[in-house]
Amino acid sequence: MDKDAEANSHSSVSPEATIPLGDQDGLPLLRGEHTLKGRLRTKWYRMDRITRLTTSLVVLILGGALVARVLIELFCPYDYWHNPQVTIPPKVDDNHSAHTDKERRNAVRDAMKHSWSGYHKYAFGHDELLPVSNKSNDKWGGWGVTLIDALDTLYIMELYDEFNQGVTHVVDADFSKATPGYTTPFFEMVIRSLAGLLTAYEMSLDKRLLAKAQQVGDVLMPAFSTSTGLPYPRVDVNAGVAVRASTVCLAEAGTVQLEYWKLSDLTGNP
């Protein structure tokens, strides 16, 4: 083909069929690719049919769930729904006699009375009862932790006579002292003694219990005399100082915040 024929062949191409270099006006998908809508549309058409169908189905399900949730809140909020009623079937023993819920509660209450009676008779004011020998020990420094632990349970079970017996002992107790030579475990005394006294106070509103909780919180405060603010694990209550240690359990250091926050809230002492 000579040069004239080649030139004629190029000149015969319709101007409408050509796109100037760099001009994207002739390709709608490319023209809008620089916008978010354009990019999403381009990605959508590049997906295969199965992917587009799956995506559409997921969007429809999520959209339907959202619409249903909005309609429920508008016309029938969950706050107006009736709580499900749970009925525990009566327990039938070997003699085929059914026990009601009241009978079960009384059985648990009687078990608590039996436990308290044994503690009161053989170990009252001490840390633990040794049930086999009917003796006691003071392995927690002699604060009577079993008694303090039991106060809120006694009150919940409406064993008020037993509760008052415990309160009478607690009011006369001196928590600034412990068994000579004993170093008090900070975490244990916070969750048992301090928490027990705070709970008993909030139930009974007996301010004597709050005063004792304040005393326990104060005598344990030397545990926080560290450079990091994380408490030492043990306190020498008799000397009023913490027992220095190189390690601390973070779970123990974290959980005691609840009791000290509650003590500060109730006493107004930051």
Side-chain angles (χ1 to χ4, degrees), residues 200-236:
Y201 163 71
E202 288 200 289
M203 289 184 174
S204 66
L205 298 181
D206 189 329
K207 291 186 178 180
R208 296 176 299 173
L209 294 173
L210 181 59
K212 286 300 176 179
Q214 177 76 66
Q215 184 184 29
V216 172
D218 288 343
V219 300
L220 295 177
M221 278 298 291
F224 289 101
S225 58
T226 64
S227 59
T228 62
L230 296 175
Y232 285 122
R234 303 189 77 88
V235 176
D236 187 340

mmCIF file of all heavy atoms in Angstrom, residues 200-236:
data_model
loop_
_atom_site.group_PDB
_atom_site.id
_atom_site.type_symbol
_atom_site.label_atom_id
_atom_site.label_comp_id
_atom_site.label_asym_id
_atom_site.label_seq_id
_atom_site.Cartn_x
_atom_site.Cartn_y
_atom_site.Cartn_z
ATOM 1 N N ALA A 200 -22.803 -5.104 104.983
ATOM 2 C CA ALA A 200 -23.677 -5.157 106.153
ATOM 3 C C ALA A 200 -24.207 -3.775 106.508
ATOM 4 O O ALA A 200 -25.372 -3.623 106.904
ATOM 5 C CB ALA A 200 -22.914 -5.745 107.339
ATOM 6 N N TYR A 201 -23.374 -2.758 106.331
ATOM 7 C CA TYR A 201 -23.841 -1.391 106.608
ATOM 8 C C TYR A 201 -24.928 -0.973 105.613
ATOM 9 O O TYR A 201 -25.955 -0.414 106.011
ATOM 10 C CB TYR A 201 -22.686 -0.394 106.546
ATOM 11 C CG TYR A 201 -23.176 1.034 106.424
ATOM 12 C CD1 TYR A 201 -23.783 1.661 107.506
ATOM 13 C CD2 TYR A 201 -23.077 1.717 105.217
ATOM 14 C CE1 TYR A 201 -24.271 2.956 107.395
ATOM 15 C CE2 TYR A 201 -23.560 3.016 105.105
ATOM 16 C CZ TYR A 201 -24.159 3.629 106.191
ATOM 17 O OH TYR A 201 -24.655 4.906 106.070
ATOM 18 N N GLU A 202 -24.699 -1.221 104.336
ATOM 19 C CA GLU A 202 -25.674 -0.785 103.331
ATOM 20 C C GLU A 202 -27.016 -1.492 103.493
ATOM 21 O O GLU A 202 -28.050 -0.957 103.097
ATOM 22 C CB GLU A 202 -25.111 -1.012 101.928
ATOM 23 C CG GLU A 202 -24.003 -0.048 101.569
ATOM 24 C CD GLU A 202 -23.786 0.070 100.080
ATOM 25 O OE1 GLU A 202 -23.280 -0.900 99.477
ATOM 26 O OE2 GLU A 202 -24.123 1.130 99.512
ATOM 27 N N MET A 203 -27.004 -2.690 104.051
ATOM 28 C CA MET A 203 -28.269 -3.400 104.286
ATOM 29 C C MET A 203 -28.968 -2.916 105.548
ATOM 30 O O MET A 203 -30.184 -2.703 105.552
ATOM 31 C CB MET A 203 -28.002 -4.903 104.373
ATOM 32 C CG MET A 203 -27.632 -5.539 103.056
ATOM 33 S SD MET A 203 -27.429 -7.325 103.205
ATOM 34 C CE MET A 203 -27.188 -7.762 101.484
ATOM 35 N N SER A 204 -28.209 -2.752 106.621
ATOM 36 C CA SER A 204 -28.810 -2.420 107.911
ATOM 37 C C SER A 204 -28.816 -0.930 108.234
ATOM 38 O O SER A 204 -29.567 -0.478 109.098
ATOM 39 C CB SER A 204 -28.062 -3.153 109.023
ATOM 40 O OG SER A 204 -26.720 -2.670 109.119
ATOM 41 N N LEU A 205 -27.936 -0.166 107.549
ATOM 42 C CA LEU A 205 -27.745 1.262 107.814
ATOM 43 C C LEU A 205 -27.308 1.523 109.258
ATOM 44 O O LEU A 205 -27.586 2.579 109.823
ATOM 45 C CB LEU A 205 -29.030 2.046 107.493
ATOM 46 C CG LEU A 205 -29.488 2.000 106.036
ATOM 47 C CD1 LEU A 205 -30.743 2.830 105.847
ATOM 48 C CD2 LEU A 205 -28.393 2.481 105.103
ATOM 49 N N ASP A 206 -26.636 0.544 109.846
ATOM 50 C CA ASP A 206 -26.064 0.704 111.176
ATOM 51 C C ASP A 206 -24.725 1.431 111.031
ATOM 52 O O ASP A 206 -23.745 0.862 110.534
ATOM 53 C CB ASP A 206 -25.866 -0.670 111.835
ATOM 54 C CG ASP A 206 -25.471 -0.566 113.304
ATOM 55 O OD1 ASP A 206 -24.793 0.425 113.673
ATOM 56 O OD2 ASP A 206 -25.804 -1.480 114.079
ATOM 57 N N LYS A 207 -24.656 2.682 111.450
ATOM 58 C CA LYS A 207 -23.471 3.505 111.226
ATOM 59 C C LYS A 207 -22.248 2.984 111.968
ATOM 60 O O LYS A 207 -21.111 3.336 111.624
ATOM 61 C CB LYS A 207 -23.764 4.952 111.637
ATOM 62 C CG LYS A 207 -24.767 5.632 110.703
ATOM 63 C CD LYS A 207 -24.932 7.102 111.046
ATOM 64 C CE LYS A 207 -25.895 7.774 110.072
ATOM 65 N NZ LYS A 207 -26.064 9.215 110.381
ATOM 66 N N ARG A 208 -22.450 2.149 112.970
ATOM 67 C CA ARG A 208 -21.302 1.566 113.675
ATOM 68 C C ARG A 208 -20.503 0.658 112.742
ATOM 69 O O ARG A 208 -19.276 0.571 112.837
ATOM 70 C CB ARG A 208 -21.795 0.790 114.897
ATOM 71 C CG ARG A 208 -22.477 1.657 115.956
ATOM 72 C CD ARG A 208 -23.016 0.786 117.089
ATOM 73 N NE ARG A 208 -24.017 -0.166 116.602
ATOM 74 C CZ ARG A 208 -24.539 -1.133 117.351
ATOM 75 N NH1 ARG A 208 -24.127 -1.284 118.610
ATOM 76 N NH2 ARG A 208 -25.450 -1.955 116.857
ATOM 77 N N LEU A 209 -21.207 0.008 111.826
ATOM 78 C CA LEU A 209 -20.531 -0.855 110.864
ATOM 79 C C LEU A 209 -19.721 -0.028 109.868
ATOM 80 O O LEU A 209 -18.620 -0.431 109.463
ATOM 81 C CB LEU A 209 -21.549 -1.719 110.130
ATOM 82 C CG LEU A 209 -22.285 -2.746 110.998
ATOM 83 C CD1 LEU A 209 -23.394 -3.424 110.205
ATOM 84 C CD2 LEU A 209 -21.303 -3.783 111.533
ATOM 85 N N LEU A 210 -20.243 1.125 109.465
ATOM 86 C CA LEU A 210 -19.497 1.996 108.559
ATOM 87 C C LEU A 210 -18.230 2.522 109.249
ATOM 88 O O LEU A 210 -17.173 2.631 108.617
ATOM 89 C CB LEU A 210 -20.371 3.160 108.102
ATOM 90 C CG LEU A 210 -19.711 4.144 107.124
ATOM 91 C CD1 LEU A 210 -19.255 3.430 105.861
ATOM 92 C CD2 LEU A 210 -20.670 5.282 106.786
ATOM 93 N N ALA A 211 -18.341 2.840 110.532
ATOM 94 C CA ALA A 211 -17.161 3.306 111.269
ATOM 95 C C ALA A 211 -16.091 2.223 111.327
ATOM 96 O O ALA A 211 -14.890 2.508 111.185
ATOM 97 C CB ALA A 211 -17.571 3.727 112.682
ATOM 98 N N LYS A 212 -16.508 0.984 111.495
ATOM 99 C CA LYS A 212 -15.549 -0.116 111.523
ATOM 100 C C LYS A 212 -14.956 -0.372 110.136
ATOM 101 O O LYS A 212 -13.784 -0.717 110.004
ATOM 102 C CB LYS A 212 -16.222 -1.382 112.062
ATOM 103 C CG LYS A 212 -16.457 -1.332 113.557
ATOM 104 C CD LYS A 212 -15.127 -1.173 114.310
ATOM 105 C CE LYS A 212 -15.305 -1.020 115.795
ATOM 106 N NZ LYS A 212 -14.027 -0.902 116.512
ATOM 107 N N ALA A 213 -15.767 -0.199 109.113
ATOM 108 C CA ALA A 213 -15.242 -0.322 107.755
ATOM 109 C C ALA A 213 -14.186 0.748 107.488
ATOM 110 O O ALA A 213 -13.159 0.488 106.849
ATOM 111 C CB ALA A 213 -16.381 -0.203 106.746
ATOM 112 N N GLN A 214 -14.423 1.951 108.009
ATOM 113 C CA GLN A 214 -13.440 3.029 107.876
ATOM 114 C C GLN A 214 -12.131 2.661 108.570
ATOM 115 O O GLN A 214 -11.039 2.899 108.045
ATOM 116 C CB GLN A 214 -14.001 4.316 108.477
ATOM 117 C CG GLN A 214 -13.042 5.484 108.467
ATOM 118 C CD GLN A 214 -12.892 6.107 107.092
ATOM 119 O OE1 GLN A 214 -13.833 6.672 106.551
ATOM 120 N NE2 GLN A 214 -11.709 5.986 106.517
ATOM 121 N N GLN A 215 -12.239 2.030 109.744
ATOM 122 C CA GLN A 215 -11.043 1.623 110.473
ATOM 123 C C GLN A 215 -10.254 0.576 109.692
ATOM 124 O O GLN A 215 -9.023 0.666 109.580
ATOM 125 C CB GLN A 215 -11.411 1.076 111.851
ATOM 126 C CG GLN A 215 -10.196 0.732 112.699
ATOM 127 C CD GLN A 215 -10.559 0.099 114.030
ATOM 128 O OE1 GLN A 215 -11.583 -0.553 114.157
ATOM 129 N NE2 GLN A 215 -9.710 0.285 115.039
ATOM 130 N N VAL A 216 -10.956 -0.408 109.134
ATOM 131 C CA VAL A 216 -10.281 -1.445 108.339
ATOM 132 C C VAL A 216 -9.602 -0.828 107.119
ATOM 133 O O VAL A 216 -8.451 -1.138 106.795
ATOM 134 C CB VAL A 216 -11.287 -2.535 107.905
ATOM 135 C CG1 VAL A 216 -10.633 -3.492 106.913
ATOM 136 C CG2 VAL A 216 -11.783 -3.303 109.121
ATOM 137 N N GLY A 217 -10.314 0.058 106.429
ATOM 138 C CA GLY A 217 -9.727 0.709 105.259
ATOM 139 C C GLY A 217 -8.491 1.504 105.601
ATOM 140 O O GLY A 217 -7.507 1.503 104.850
ATOM 141 N N ASP A 218 -8.501 2.167 106.758
ATOM 142 C CA ASP A 218 -7.365 2.991 107.162
ATOM 143 C C ASP A 218 -6.141 2.146 107.521
ATOM 144 O O ASP A 218 -5.013 2.475 107.129
ATOM 145 C CB ASP A 218 -7.751 3.871 108.352
ATOM 146 C CG ASP A 218 -8.694 4.998 107.955
ATOM 147 O OD1 ASP A 218 -8.786 5.289 106.739
ATOM 148 O OD2 ASP A 218 -9.350 5.563 108.845
ATOM 149 N N VAL A 219 -6.362 1.063 108.272
ATOM 150 C CA VAL A 219 -5.197 0.274 108.709
ATOM 151 C C VAL A 219 -4.562 -0.486 107.546
ATOM 152 O O VAL A 219 -3.400 -0.888 107.624
ATOM 153 C CB VAL A 219 -5.582 -0.718 109.831
ATOM 154 C CG1 VAL A 219 -6.121 0.026 111.037
ATOM 155 C CG2 VAL A 219 -6.579 -1.755 109.346
ATOM 156 N N LEU A 220 -5.314 -0.663 106.458
ATOM 157 C CA LEU A 220 -4.756 -1.341 105.285
ATOM 158 C C LEU A 220 -4.141 -0.376 104.279
ATOM 159 O O LEU A 220 -3.479 -0.794 103.330
ATOM 160 C CB LEU A 220 -5.849 -2.163 104.591
ATOM 161 C CG LEU A 220 -6.425 -3.341 105.385
ATOM 162 C CD1 LEU A 220 -7.551 -4.015 104.590
ATOM 163 C CD2 LEU A 220 -5.340 -4.364 105.714
ATOM 164 N N MET A 221 -4.341 0.921 104.479
ATOM 165 C CA MET A 221 -3.851 1.923 103.531
ATOM 166 C C MET A 221 -2.334 1.927 103.323
ATOM 167 O O MET A 221 -1.868 2.270 102.232
ATOM 168 C CB MET A 221 -4.309 3.318 103.976
ATOM 169 C CG MET A 221 -5.719 3.649 103.556
ATOM 170 S SD MET A 221 -5.940 3.677 101.776
ATOM 171 C CE MET A 221 -4.999 5.136 101.350
ATOM 172 N N PRO A 222 -1.503 1.561 104.313
ATOM 173 C CA PRO A 222 -0.044 1.541 104.057
ATOM 174 C C PRO A 222 0.354 0.673 102.866
ATOM 175 O O PRO A 222 1.448 0.843 102.328
ATOM 176 C CB PRO A 222 0.529 0.989 105.365
ATOM 177 C CG PRO A 222 -0.440 1.416 106.409
ATOM 178 C CD PRO A 222 -1.786 1.314 105.748
ATOM 179 N N ALA A 223 -0.520 -0.228 102.452
ATOM 180 C CA ALA A 223 -0.203 -1.067 101.289
ATOM 181 C C ALA A 223 0.034 -0.230 100.045
ATOM 182 O O ALA A 223 0.745 -0.646 99.124
ATOM 183 C CB ALA A 223 -1.322 -2.071 101.044
ATOM 184 N N PHE A 224 -0.547 0.974 100.002
ATOM 185 C CA PHE A 224 -0.419 1.826 98.811
ATOM 186 C C PHE A 224 0.825 2.724 98.850
ATOM 187 O O PHE A 224 0.994 3.555 97.951
ATOM 188 C CB PHE A 224 -1.657 2.707 98.669
ATOM 189 C CG PHE A 224 -2.889 1.950 98.267
ATOM 190 C CD1 PHE A 224 -3.841 1.605 99.216
ATOM 191 C CD2 PHE A 224 -3.092 1.568 96.948
ATOM 192 C CE1 PHE A 224 -4.981 0.911 98.861
ATOM 193 C CE2 PHE A 224 -4.235 0.867 96.574
ATOM 194 C CZ PHE A 224 -5.182 0.536 97.540
ATOM 195 N N SER A 225 1.680 2.565 99.852
ATOM 196 C CA SER A 225 2.880 3.409 99.937
ATOM 197 C C SER A 225 3.970 2.874 99.012
ATOM 198 O O SER A 225 5.034 2.430 99.447
ATOM 199 C CB SER A 225 3.375 3.458 101.391
ATOM 200 O OG SER A 225 3.650 2.147 101.869
ATOM 201 N N THR A 226 3.679 2.918 97.719
ATOM 202 C CA THR A 226 4.622 2.446 96.702
ATOM 203 C C THR A 226 4.868 3.556 95.690
ATOM 204 O O THR A 226 4.089 4.507 95.591
ATOM 205 C CB THR A 226 4.067 1.209 95.975
ATOM 206 O OG1 THR A 226 2.865 1.582 95.268
ATOM 207 C CG2 THR A 226 3.728 0.101 96.963
ATOM 208 N N SER A 227 5.922 3.427 94.930
ATOM 209 C CA SER A 227 6.233 4.435 93.917
ATOM 210 C C SER A 227 5.268 4.363 92.734
ATOM 211 O O SER A 227 5.087 5.336 92.013
ATOM 212 C CB SER A 227 7.678 4.252 93.429
ATOM 213 O OG SER A 227 7.853 2.939 92.875
ATOM 214 N N THR A 228 4.653 3.204 92.528
ATOM 215 C CA THR A 228 3.750 3.023 91.390
ATOM 216 C C THR A 228 2.284 3.227 91.748
ATOM 217 O O THR A 228 1.445 3.401 90.857
ATOM 218 C CB THR A 228 3.897 1.598 90.820
ATOM 219 O OG1 THR A 228 3.530 0.652 91.838
ATOM 220 C CG2 THR A 228 5.320 1.335 90.380
ATOM 221 N N GLY A 229 1.960 3.188 93.041
ATOM 222 C CA GLY A 229 0.562 3.267 93.444
ATOM 223 C C GLY A 229 -0.111 1.915 93.522
ATOM 224 O O GLY A 229 -1.223 1.804 94.039
ATOM 225 N N LEU A 230 0.556 0.887 93.002
ATOM 226 C CA LEU A 230 0.031 -0.471 93.117
ATOM 227 C C LEU A 230 0.325 -0.983 94.526
ATOM 228 O O LEU A 230 1.453 -0.864 95.005
ATOM 229 C CB LEU A 230 0.669 -1.392 92.080
ATOM 230 C CG LEU A 230 0.375 -1.061 90.616
ATOM 231 C CD1 LEU A 230 1.172 -1.993 89.704
ATOM 232 C CD2 LEU A 230 -1.110 -1.185 90.324
ATOM 233 N N PRO A 231 -0.645 -1.544 95.221
ATOM 234 C CA PRO A 231 -0.457 -1.900 96.628
ATOM 235 C C PRO A 231 0.462 -3.100 96.828
ATOM 236 O O PRO A 231 0.500 -4.026 96.016
ATOM 237 C CB PRO A 231 -1.888 -2.224 97.090
ATOM 238 C CG PRO A 231 -2.584 -2.688 95.851
ATOM 239 C CD PRO A 231 -2.015 -1.861 94.736
ATOM 240 N N TYR A 232 1.195 -3.065 97.932
ATOM 241 C CA TYR A 232 1.954 -4.236 98.355
ATOM 242 C C TYR A 232 0.968 -5.336 98.765
ATOM 243 O O TYR A 232 -0.149 -5.050 99.209
ATOM 244 C CB TYR A 232 2.861 -3.901 99.531
ATOM 245 C CG TYR A 232 4.081 -3.094 99.169
ATOM 246 C CD1 TYR A 232 4.323 -1.856 99.767
ATOM 247 C CD2 TYR A 232 5.006 -3.572 98.255
ATOM 248 C CE1 TYR A 232 5.456 -1.112 99.452
ATOM 249 C CE2 TYR A 232 6.139 -2.841 97.931
ATOM 250 C CZ TYR A 232 6.350 -1.612 98.527
ATOM 251 O OH TYR A 232 7.473 -0.881 98.202
ATOM 252 N N PRO A 233 1.348 -6.589 98.640
ATOM 253 C CA PRO A 233 0.406 -7.675 98.931
ATOM 254 C C PRO A 233 0.131 -7.915 100.413
ATOM 255 O O PRO A 233 -0.872 -8.538 100.757
ATOM 256 C CB PRO A 233 1.068 -8.901 98.295
ATOM 257 C CG PRO A 233 2.511 -8.564 98.204
ATOM 258 C CD PRO A 233 2.589 -7.096 98.023
ATOM 259 N N ARG A 234 0.989 -7.427 101.323
ATOM 260 C CA ARG A 234 0.775 -7.689 102.747
ATOM 261 C C ARG A 234 1.066 -6.431 103.568
ATOM 262 O O ARG A 234 1.875 -5.574 103.166
ATOM 263 C CB ARG A 234 1.648 -8.848 103.246
ATOM 264 C CG ARG A 234 1.437 -10.149 102.489
ATOM 265 C CD ARG A 234 2.154 -11.303 103.147
ATOM 266 N NE ARG A 234 1.450 -11.787 104.333
ATOM 267 C CZ ARG A 234 0.501 -12.727 104.289
ATOM 268 N NH1 ARG A 234 0.151 -13.280 103.142
ATOM 269 N NH2 ARG A 234 -0.082 -13.130 105.405
ATOM 270 N N VAL A 235 0.390 -6.341 104.721
ATOM 271 C CA VAL A 235 0.548 -5.192 105.618
ATOM 272 C C VAL A 235 0.792 -5.701 107.032
ATOM 273 O O VAL A 235 0.100 -6.618 107.494
ATOM 274 C CB VAL A 235 -0.711 -4.293 105.602
ATOM 275 C CG1 VAL A 235 -0.562 -3.151 106.609
ATOM 276 C CG2 VAL A 235 -0.975 -3.752 104.213
ATOM 277 N N ASP A 236 1.766 -5.097 107.714
ATOM 278 C CA ASP A 236 1.978 -5.367 109.134
ATOM 279 C C ASP A 236 1.096 -4.386 109.900
ATOM 280 O O ASP A 236 1.471 -3.241 110.147
ATOM 281 C CB ASP A 236 3.454 -5.180 109.502
ATOM 282 C CG ASP A 236 3.750 -5.610 110.927
ATOM 283 O OD1 ASP A 236 2.805 -5.684 111.746
ATOM 284 O OD2 ASP A 236 4.923 -5.880 111.236
#
